[in-house]
Amino acid sequence: MNQRFHRRVGLAFASALTAALLSLPALAQEKVLRIAMTAADIPKTHGQPDQGFEGNRFTGIPMYDALTHWDLSKADAPSVLIPGLATSWAVGATDKTKWTFKLRPGVKFHDGSALTADAIVWNVRKVLDKDAPHFDPSQVGVTASRMPTLRSARKIDDLTVELTTSEPDSFLPLNLTNLFIASPAHWDAKLKAVPASVTDAAERAKQAWTAFAADSSGSGPFKMAKFQARERLELVANKSYWDPKRTPSIDRVVLMPMPEANARTAALLSGQVDWIEAPAPDAMAQIRSRGFTMYSNPQPHVWPWQLSFADGSPWLDKRVRQAANLCVDREGLRTLLGGMMGIPKGTVPPGHPWWGNPGFDIKYDVKAAQAMMAQAGHSAAKPLKVKVQISASGSGQMQPLPMNEFVQQNLKQCFFDVEYDVIEWNTLFTNWRKGAKDPSANGAHAINVSYAAMDPFFAMVRFTSTKTFPPTSNNWGYFGNPEFDKLIADARSAFEDKARDAALAKLHARIVEEAPFVWIAHDVGPRAMAAKVKGVVQPRSWFIDLAPMSIQ
């Protein structure tokens, strides 16, 4: 009996061992890409990510599609708008507030349901229609503020949808890259699973969205596989993706939040991850010497202080604003960052179609800055006190603590006494929409939130229009007047590229001259990767496409 028992155990063990050994090649062959983000948490996965544009980059673009996409396939040219779920679009011939979008046939969500015009209407309503059963207040701030003129959507037929704006807005197709399309059928299934004891409609919708976020369904090249808040998100390839060029060869992507630059760098060097965002500048030489590849590219992404124009703000005097812009040693800052930054002359560089040749030249000129400050009544004995709200890490924030310390020392020589209020990144990003007058500003006179500048609304309009004062969009500082509203209206109502560029050039020139920002750096998106990661295209964009990459 005892011998038979041991024999059965031995046979079972041998069988299990054989099965395990046979499965090892399959496990070894799985192509896994492990990424350390700068975010302190996994960006939201329900279709409208938070954590700034790092959320769009890592949980938006991989898992979802939008009506329009950015072309992220080129490293040697600016990213331009291309068809996504929409194959074409056109503004009305007589009514410029009406847009018609033709949808791509045959697209399936990850749950197997079909993409139709009804799905587009449903996704517009989720953030714009408070009476919709699936309206989600948590998604409004990160969506509606990025497309503030969109008002409604209407189905024309199964593959045609009409979108309506509050005013003629030639920027709408660009803005729609931020509206990620989630599966209505999958959400409906989550709603049905909410216990019947929950009778409040808003609470039922909230619970359905929470369940959806834990088991999401978009139509993108990757599907959610495993989710642990604050720890990791695992995505697997969607082998039936509608675009063959973006059907992944990587089997699995593992995303991990690591907000501290030295921790990210250590994780890369120890082999814990294959890719890190924003490596520690003083470790770049070691990273390269260990065989890792450093990627960077000039991109439309600005690292500024955005200034307050609320009553009593120290920045109301233009001489003070311009002096601060003349007192930052950007070459020295670039050295501090290991060369990984661009030096700004404004929001866009000279030679850009929107440049406009401003009358104020942003440069390093301490004597001129000191003279301006003296004219404004300030000196070393009577410095101007300013408080700035900043983060310790975060999407697009580069290296915020050492960079802000460097700027603080720079401005001291020009009679500024700078104090920092350091808060968590996602909180700072939320405060950005609440504005300088909100208690969340904690008395700050400026806020340090980096911003993408790839389209006119993101680059300029949301910071200079009186229609984008908080909480509508990101005009945190309440900068704006009739002159700027007119310049914006001229650009928005220009539907031909040449005329729109000319109008935007006038707007940019006036923005630089009035200096509602201290323009400190342009990001170049430094990231380090293991040599085994192939097919990497570092575009001239804040975004990057994981789908065409491979592991060798």
Side-chain angles (χ1 to χ4, degrees), residues 314-512:
W315 301 108
L316 294 176
D317 190 328
K318 183 165 71 172
R319 294 170 298 184
V320 169
R321 302 194 301 270
Q322 291 186 343
N325 274 286
L326 295 176
C327 204
V328 178
D329 178 11
R330 297 169 182 84
E331 286 287 0
L333 184 59
R334 179 156 63 179
T335 299
L336 175 71
L337 295 176
M340 291 296 177
M341 67 164 266
I343 294 180
K345 286 287 189 177
T347 296
V348 299
H352 191 284
W354 308 339
W355 169 242
N357 198 27
F360 174 59
D361 183 19
I362 298 172
K363 57 185 178 180
Y364 185 45
D365 189 338
V366 174
K367 288 185 178 179
Q370 289 173 338
M372 284 181 170
M373 291 295 284
Q375 291 170 10
H378 305 289
S379 64
K382 188 184 176 183
L384 180 64
K385 294 182 180 295
V386 296
K387 185 176 184 179
V388 187
Q389 201 165 67
I390 70 172
S391 66
S393 65
S395 168
Q397 295 298 91
M398 302 175 71
Q399 307 293 339
L401 293 181
M403 290 174 72
N404 274 300
E405 289 168 2
F406 184 90
V407 174
Q408 182 183 47
Q409 291 302 311
N410 277 185
L411 293 185
K412 187 175 183 179
Q413 65 187 331
C414 297
F415 319 140
F416 288 91
D417 180 5
V418 178
E419 175 190 355
Y420 290 126
D421 178 27
V422 185
I423 61 177
E424 189 270 333
W425 160 240
N426 216 41
T427 303
L428 183 76
F429 193 78
T430 300
N431 292 357
W432 195 33
R433 294 190 299 273
K434 294 180 178 179
K437 298 177 184 179
D438 190 81
S440 65
N442 198 20
H445 311 117
I447 193 168
N448 172 220
V449 178
S450 63
Y451 63 89
M454 65 280 199
D455 76 65
F457 177 74
F458 275 78
M460 294 181 277
V461 172
R462 59 178 170 159
F463 306 124
T464 59
S465 170
T466 60
K467 296 179 180 179
T468 57
F469 285 169
T472 302
S473 193
N474 300 116
N475 195 341
W476 179 89
Y478 294 86
F479 174 82
N481 56 49
E483 177 198 0
F484 279 84
D485 285 346
K486 173 64 166 57
L487 291 170
I488 290 165
D490 290 345
R492 264 201 167 123
S493 58
F495 289 86
E496 297 296 327
D497 290 348
K498 188 174 181 180
R500 184 167 59 251
D501 286 347
L504 290 167
K506 291 179 182 177
L507 175 62
H508 181 259
R510 289 295 294 124
I511 292 172
V512 173

Side-chain angles (χ1 to χ4, degrees), residues 5 29 41 81 90 93 142-143 150 159 172 249 306 336 343 369 378 389 391 402 437 441 485 533-534:
F5 173 77
Q29 289 171 11
D41 197 359
L81 202 67
V142 293
T143 312
L150 182 62
L159 292 177
L172 181 69
S249 64
Q306 186 176 356
L336 175 71
I343 294 180
H378 305 289
Q389 201 165 67
S391 66
K437 298 177 184 179
D485 285 346
V533 185
K534 304 296 184 183

Side-chain angles (χ1 to χ4, degrees), residues 27-51:
L27 290 172
Q29 289 171 11
E30 186 178 44
K31 308 294 186 183
V32 181
L33 176 62
R34 302 161 301 166
I35 303 173
M37 305 178 292
T38 67
D41 197 359
I42 301 296
K44 290 187 184 297
T45 54
H46 51 25
Q48 299 305 141
D50 61 351
Q51 300 290 342

